[in-house]
């Protein structure tokens, strides 16, 4: 093991001892924000330290086996132990490298999912509806909660635009590579000649900001307008100016929310979405800087990039970033996305490992 990695692991071991003491103290919960941060840090480094302890134990077992090799009666047994020990140490080293990879601080956050219909008119809106159902079914499989923040329905069904909040541990880590252009090739229900049409939607995955304060929102930079909600929702929703539109003047970002009867709740939801959008811009700018020095196959989150094609006549889904084609379109559209999600996460991890090897 490289000395720099071992030194880092020794420091993490000492830090875990310190965290155990602080979290078990009588006044540990006096400051709940601090307690949550310490608990999160404790949960993050515990698996690393436990694996490091297993590595140290494997080293001790190897040293004992090497000593036994000097005894003629124990030599064969010792050789077997040494061979097994080498394999174990190599595997633990690789596992430790993966655990030490730089973590995305947003990975465990809830997300805002935005889907917008693009080229293709009504068919694009219908596909936006299909995509939303795909993500909602995937969330259901993960036991996550999905809350619609705002929606604009298509004339033939589906959505011109839909924003939903997905609440669940690791939501961002699993869905962050979904941002980009999604293209569909199929025969629309309205097509009488049986011709295949191509249309597209844009998906944006944005981590929820822990607090609005995390993104500096100056009240002077905000224009807040109220108006009467439109569309479905019953007569009561259209009688008061409960809908909210917030414009962030420096960036021109506009957020509308009209799904709740309460103006206060709509404003809170709109502020949350606005904070997430601004943070998303910052994240994408940072990713662009990283990509300038190291080409990232899956992590750029460029909205204009076409990342995936759903070809219904051929029953296939192709992710263009990692050249992965799966012939299980019905299962994927029903939320069985594990093969896609896991392949993208594995590719990203491989990139990080390659960068880590290059840095040392």
């Amino acid at each position: 093991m490289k000395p720099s990695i071992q030194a880092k692991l020794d420091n993490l071991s000492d830090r875990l001892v310190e965290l155990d003491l602080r979290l078990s103290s009588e006044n540990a919960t006096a400051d709940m924000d601090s307690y949550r941060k310490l608990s999160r840090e404790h949960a993050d480094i515990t698996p690393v330290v436990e694996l490091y302890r297993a590595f140290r134990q494997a080293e001790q077992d190897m040293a004992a086996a090497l000593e036994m090799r000097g005894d003629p009666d124990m030599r064969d047994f010792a050789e077997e132990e040494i061979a097994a020990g080498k394999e174990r140490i190599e595997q633990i080293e690789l596992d430790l490298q993966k655990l030490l990879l730089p973590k995305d601080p947003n990975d465990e956050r809830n997300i805002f999912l935005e889907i917008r219909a693009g080229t293709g008119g009504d068919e694009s809106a219908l596909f936006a509806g299909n995509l939303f159902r795909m993500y909602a079914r995937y969330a259901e499989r993960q036991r996550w909660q999905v809350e619609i923040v705002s929606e604009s329905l298509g004339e033939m069904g589906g959505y011109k635009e839909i924003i939903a909040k997905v609440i669940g541990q690791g939501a961002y880590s699993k869905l962050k590579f979904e941002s980009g252009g999604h293209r569909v090739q199929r025969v629309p229900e309205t097509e009488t000649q049986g011709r295949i049409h191509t249309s597209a939607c844009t998906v944006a995955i944005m981590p929820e900001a822990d607090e609005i304060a995390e993104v500096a929102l100056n009240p002077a930079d905000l224009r807040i307008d109220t108006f009467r909600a439109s569309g479905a929702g019953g007569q009561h929703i259209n009688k008061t100016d409960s809908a909210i539109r917030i414009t962030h003047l420096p960036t021109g970002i506009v957020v509308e929310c009209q799904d709740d009867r309460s103006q206060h709740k709509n404003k809170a939801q709109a502020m949350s979405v606005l904070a997430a959008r601004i943070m998303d811009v910052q994240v994408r700018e940072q990713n662009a800087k990283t990509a300038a020095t190291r080409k990232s196959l899956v992590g750029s989150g460029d909205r204009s990039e076409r990342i995936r094609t759903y070809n219904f006549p051929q029953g296939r889904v192709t992710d263009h970033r990692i050249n992965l084609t799966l012939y299980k379109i019905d299962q994927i559209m029903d939320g069985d996305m594990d093969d896609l999600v896991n392949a993208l996460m594995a590719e990203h991890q491989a990139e990080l490992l390659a960068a880590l090897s290059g840095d040392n």
Side-chain angles (χ1 to χ4, degrees):
M1 181 181 291
K2 293 176 181 175
S4 59
I5 292 179
Q6 187 149 355
K8 185 171 185 177
L9 289 165
D10 286 331
N11 288 337
L12 286 175
S13 298
D14 294 340
R15 177 62 176 164
L16 186 61
V17 173
E18 181 187 345
L19 288 172
D20 282 333
L21 290 172
R22 292 180 66 176
L23 288 170
S24 60
S25 67
E26 289 183 6
N27 60 349
T29 57
D31 181 344
M32 286 306 296
D33 283 340
S34 173
Y35 180 76
R36 277 191 289 268
K37 287 177 183 175
L38 292 175
S39 297
R40 191 180 300 169
E41 184 184 357
H42 187 278
D44 284 343
I45 69 175
T46 294
V48 184
V49 174
E50 286 178 350
L51 196 56
Y52 181 47
R53 287 170 181 165
F55 175 82
R56 297 297 295 269
Q57 183 61 52
E59 281 189 324
Q60 291 174 21
D61 294 344
M62 174 76 83
L66 287 168
E67 283 185 20
M68 280 194 293
R69 194 165 59 177
D71 184 341
D73 295 334
M74 301 292 291
R75 184 172 293 132
D76 290 345
F77 175 73
E79 293 291 355
E80 289 178 10
E81 287 294 297
I82 289 167
K86 281 182 179 176
E87 282 187 23
R88 178 159 170 71
I89 286 173
E90 286 175 6
Q91 184 58 52
I92 293 176
E93 270 204 78
L94 181 61
D95 292 342
L96 278 170
Q97 274 192 354
K98 289 179 181 177
L99 287 177
L100 287 173
L101 289 175
K103 285 187 172 60
D104 187 328
N106 298 319
D107 271 353
E108 294 307 311
R109 295 184 187 227
N110 302 326
I111 61 169
F112 285 104
L113 161 67
E114 292 189 1
I115 304 173
R116 286 190 180 84
T119 54
D122 291 336
E123 169 63 8
S124 179
L126 290 169
F127 181 51
N130 298 146
L131 285 177
F132 177 69
R133 181 183 182 276
M134 177 182 79
Y135 291 123
R137 293 283 288 120
Y138 179 70
E140 187 180 310
R141 291 165 185 254
Q142 304 296 315
R143 292 182 169 81
W144 297 338
Q145 184 181 344
V146 179
E147 297 177 354
I148 294 178
V149 175
S150 70
E151 57 185 342
S152 174
L153 300 176
E155 292 177 11
M156 303 284 291
Y159 301 100
K160 294 177 183 175
E161 175 185 288
I162 182 166
I163 303 174
K165 185 176 179 180
V166 181
I167 304 164
Q169 187 171 9
Y172 184 72
S173 69
K174 292 192 173 182
L175 290 179
K176 63 183 173 182
F177 302 122
E178 293 301 302
S179 291
H182 294 241
R183 185 177 67 168
V184 63
Q185 295 172 325
R186 64 184 175 187
V187 179
E189 293 177 14
T190 54
E191 171 58 60
T192 56
Q193 303 296 319
R195 291 174 298 187
I196 295 172
H197 286 225
T198 298
S199 54
C201 292
T202 301
V203 172
I205 303 291
M206 303 175 298
E208 180 188 25
D210 269 350
E211 301 170 357
I212 299 297
E214 205 169 38
V215 176
L217 288 177
N218 185 342
D221 291 338
L222 304 178
R223 186 176 74 234
I224 300 176
D225 301 308
T226 59
F227 58 99
R228 291 193 179 181
S230 59
Q235 293 180 356
H236 61 264
I237 204 168
N238 297 319
K239 290 183 178 177
T240 59
D241 292 345
S242 61
I244 292 287
R245 181 187 297 112
I246 302 178
T247 305
H248 186 241
L249 300 174
T251 61
I253 295 172
V254 180
V255 177
E256 289 185 5
C257 193
Q258 56 177 317
D259 275 29
D260 202 281
R261 303 183 200 184
S262 162
Q263 185 185 104
H264 178 73
K265 287 183 180 178
N266 280 331
K267 182 179 178 182
Q269 282 277 39
M271 288 291 280
S272 293
V273 174
L274 178 62
R277 282 189 183 171
I278 292 171
M279 191 166 79
D280 178 59
V281 170
Q282 295 167 354
V283 168
R284 283 192 284 135
E285 285 176 353
Q286 184 59 45
N287 285 342
K289 289 176 184 175
T290 304
T293 55
R294 177 176 60 84
K295 174 60 179 170
S296 173
L297 289 174
V298 294
S300 66
D302 185 353
R303 303 285 181 269
S304 63
E305 178 189 10
R306 190 191 74 205
I307 64 168
R308 194 174 297 148
T309 296
Y310 304 74
N311 186 303
F312 279 81
Q314 296 179 15
R316 65 174 169 84
V317 175
T318 298
D319 196 290
H320 304 291
R321 295 163 295 179
I322 56 175
N323 295 320
L324 174 69
T325 296
L326 299 169
Y327 288 90
K328 47 183 292 187
I329 194 166
D330 290 339
Q331 295 96 311
I332 289 171
M333 297 310 294
D334 193 43
D336 182 5
M337 296 178 62
D338 283 339
D339 287 346
L340 276 171
V341 169
N342 293 340
L344 289 161
M345 291 176 72
E347 185 68 36
H348 184 57
Q349 188 178 71
E351 286 181 2
L352 292 175
L353 275 172
L356 185 67
S357 300
D359 290 342
N360 286 309

